[in-house]
């Protein structure tokens, strides 16, 4: 399998940086992919409580926002939507950054070595690339709990990553009745 590469529309932004107390090289890098879902929050909390060793691990929180795709041809005329697209991208970027800060804010920065990285593009490709670039030891990601049919039709980011990454991928699921 070739090394993953980012797409032409990829954006990688460091949003949360480690506290000054964390200067030593971490023993492990634990990547945790998050979005605004309850499944993502469960996976994050589960990883902190069951996987992360605060004294030696670095946590890299990853969020991927989509690339905006807006048609520019409308009833035979060219429509310039540059300004609207830029406004939407800025709003999506702000939302992504706030989400990363929210997750990082759940943990005391002096105790946990935390980074937050905002990405833009296809979540499968961007997470695969970033995890490889970070040389992460593990990825934790939530699952929307799609059934086999919906997963086949819609595609599942977690399913894709389980099958394509060279590192362990943990997909914790809440106990729902």
């Amino acid at each position: 399998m070739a090394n993953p590469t980012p797409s032409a529309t990829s954006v990688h932004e460091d949003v949360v940086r480690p506290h000054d107390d964390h200067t030593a090289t971490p023993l492990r890098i634990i990547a945790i992919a998050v979005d605004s879902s309850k499944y993502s929050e469960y996976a994050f909390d589960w990883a902190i409580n069951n996987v992360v060793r605060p004294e030696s691990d670095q946590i890299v929180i990853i969020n991927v926002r989509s690339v905006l795709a807006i048609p520019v041809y409308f009833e035979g005329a060219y429509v310039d939507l540059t300004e609207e697209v830029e406004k939407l991208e800025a709003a999506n970027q702000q939302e992504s950054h706030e989400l990363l800060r929210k997750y990082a804010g759940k943990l005391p920065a002096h105790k946990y070595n935390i980074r937050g990285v905002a990405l833009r593009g296809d979540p499968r490709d961007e997470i695969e690339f970033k995890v490889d670039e970070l040389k992460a030891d593990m990825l934790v990601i939530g699952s929307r709990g799609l059934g086999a049919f919906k997963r086949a039709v819609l595609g599942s980011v977690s399913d894709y990553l389980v099958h394509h990454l060279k590192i362990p991928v943990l997909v914790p699921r809440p106990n729902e009745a």
Side-chain angles (χ1 to χ4, degrees), residues 117-174:
V117 181
L119 310 173
R120 184 182 73 186
D122 182 296
R124 293 172 280 253
D125 298 335
E126 297 306 319
I127 294 170
E128 182 179 14
F129 174 79
K130 195 59 165 178
V131 163
D132 188 60
E133 180 185 68
L134 292 167
K135 296 179 178 30
D137 296 286
M138 177 185 309
L139 172 68
V140 180
I141 186 168
S143 172
R144 293 180 291 168
L146 299 176
F149 178 74
K150 282 187 178 180
R151 189 170 51 247
V153 173
L154 299 175
S156 165
V157 174
S158 58
D159 189 58
Y160 174 87
L161 294 169
V162 163
H163 290 93
H164 287 84
L165 292 184
K166 301 171 191 169
I167 61 171
V169 177
L170 299 177
V171 187
R173 296 175 191 262

Side-chain angles (χ1 to χ4, degrees), residues 52-98:
V52 174
R53 298 179 199 139
E55 65 282 351
S56 61
D57 292 346
Q58 181 178 66
I59 304 164
V60 181
I61 309 166
I62 299 171
N63 175 256
V64 184
R65 64 185 183 272
S66 298
V67 174
L68 297 174
I70 299 176
V72 294
Y73 189 76
F74 183 70
E75 292 188 18
Y78 172 76
V79 179
D80 185 5
L81 297 174
T82 304
E83 189 174 320
E84 288 77 12
V85 169
E86 287 172 354
K87 285 179 187 175
L88 285 171
E89 170 57 23
N92 288 346
Q93 179 185 41
Q94 181 177 351
E95 184 180 324
S96 176
H97 290 197
E98 287 173 2

